[in-house]
Amino acid sequence: MTTTLPDETLLLDGIDDADDTACLSAAVRFVREHDSAALLPLLLPGLDGPDLRALAGHCRFAHAGLLLFPPDADGLRARLAACGLAVDTPSHPSVVVRDRLARRHRRDPADLDVRILRPQVHTRAGERRAVEVFALTVPPRSDLEPIAAHERTHRHEAHLAFEIDHPEPLALRGLCAILARHGARPDGGGYNPHEDGTVLYFTLPAAAACDYRRLELYARGDHRDTLAAHLDRPGHDAREPAETLLHLLTGAWTTQALAAFARLGLPDAMDTRTAHRTGELARLTGSDPRGIAVLLRHLAMLGAVTRYPDQEEDGFRLTELGALLRTDAPGSMRPLALMYGGPFYRSFGALDHAVRTGRPAFDHLFGENHFDHFARDPELAALFDLSMAASSRMFEPLPAHPVITAAAQASEAATVVDVAGGNGELLGRILTAHPRLRGVLLERPHAVEAARGLLDAAGCGARCDYRAGDFADVPTGGDVYVLSRVLHDWDDDRCREILRHCVRAMPAHADLLVVERLLPADGSPSLATAWDLHMLCNVGGRERRADHYARLFADAGLRLVGDRPLPLDAHVLHARRADAPDPGAGRS
């Protein structure tokens, strides 16, 4: 059985993400033209019958929300006026969005004055709705510009909101359960004391026929008990401690379920618009039908697939999350799943050795470090390089970094040197974005050949030179040097040595960009904390705080002059030679 989902779409046609006014105008048009009963089945494909009646009966389509970045108060009023909205709409602080932005970009919430206002929109039927505008003032040349650029591209805060008429706690939880049954996944929320309202965010299923990817339930009043269950905060939900611990202890099963999903080729046999029966998937992958059903039911709990129950045989559809494990997906994370479910999974079984001795469990298990082990196995080496590229989303803002753009605008063609640049993914992005730049990639011989093929395919190979070698072979004479996810592989002494090699090669005017995850100074949750354990177990390196990197830079004759957030909890640290001119006088 293959069930094709509706082709009807509700897209923001012709919208340039950088154009706040166009996005606001599209939101006004969307709010004016749609109502709850017609909209909900498009957001949640397959929603009908009692579930549709329950949602439509309790939830009113209230507004479309979006985040704008005006240069000042007059700029915001101009955008409102251009869209026919009241320019004198009152505003108040937005605690929820402010905190989400702060976590996403690792900024102090006190630095982000996010205001919320809801100018009214009158529908053709005479109903009063609103456009919910979150406004973060970003003056020209402000250090908030990278946040604005990232948010305009990814539209994290764009959402459609439904207000619950009678938000009784039991009814509220029931509505959340209906959304979950139809593929919506919890995606944060909060209580705003300034307006005494609770918001519950959900990510819509990939097949939703709408360009908005998030849905908000808004309930007047304080519903923080329901919110805690929605956020699944340990110690705040309904689970007993033993149940919580049991969920944590089965985390290894999750890793292997995702890895098996990828190894069996199931994501490649599925798609996000159709539901396939388990028998069909078993035939396509040469697997046992019951085994496929058991695996996919577990993956449905994780959000990798959506289940369509049937008395005879269940159907399953790939979600946007699961699609990242397809071989042909842009930025496919399949190689990462195979690495984490393969060699690195085996070494984590000896984590206690790493904790007890301070030496990598990988070396203890395989008898050599992971670089040497992978180098002797071409297939494993290629998989490792592909797994590194799987996190390339963190590179997206780098071509727009001021150091890169200044080099691209220099009077003479500038050169970017990518030290230990892997398969060339990052260098390719930079050269593609800036046709005047040249590149040099330093890597091991097998990685150089992989990078040559990737950069040739990207159309920028003719502007790139390749050097096979070690850190002692850092090419001289570059204008921008890049060390991306390199230093965390090594202890402090080796990091100082690597940085000194860079300093010796760098002209006085050159810049160094270091891409790493930073351990949070306040102990808040971070991917860097998880990766610190991974480095201890498998590599022998470590993640570090920003001040730790600053000390390493100083020891090597460099000074830290800038720090910008990147996706996936990464940062780009900007350093210059200690004897170089102040970057404030030129590039920064």
Side-chain angles (χ1 to χ4, degrees), residues 106 348 351 488 516-537 541-545 568-570:
R106 300 188 57 76
F348 257 101
L351 175 62
H488 75 160
E516 295 288 356
R517 289 189 171 96
L518 299 181
L519 289 172
D522 60 0
S524 57
S526 167
L527 285 174
T529 304
W531 254 257
D532 202 22
L533 188 67
H534 170 63
M535 305 311 289
L536 170 70
C537 185
R542 61 187 297 177
E543 305 296 345
R544 299 170 172 90
R545 294 186 353 179
L568 302 180
D569 269 2

Side-chain angles (χ1 to χ4, degrees), residues 251-260 262-263 325 333-349 362 370 374 380 383-384 386-391 394 485 488 517 527 530-535 538-539 543 568:
W253 304 352
T254 293
T255 301
Q256 283 300 338
L258 291 168
R263 280 194 294 263
L325 295 175
M333 299 183 78
R334 182 178 186 273
L336 210 57
L338 299 181
M339 286 297 302
Y340 289 171
F344 289 149
Y345 186 88
R346 290 181 60 194
S347 58
F348 257 101
F362 192 101
H370 86 287
F374 294 164
L380 197 54
L383 179 63
F384 176 71
L386 287 172
S387 73
M388 291 292 289
S391 295
M394 67 173 60
R485 298 178 296 172
H488 75 160
R517 289 189 171 96
L527 285 174
W531 254 257
D532 202 22
L533 188 67
H534 170 63
M535 305 311 289
N538 287 293
V539 182
E543 305 296 345
L568 302 180

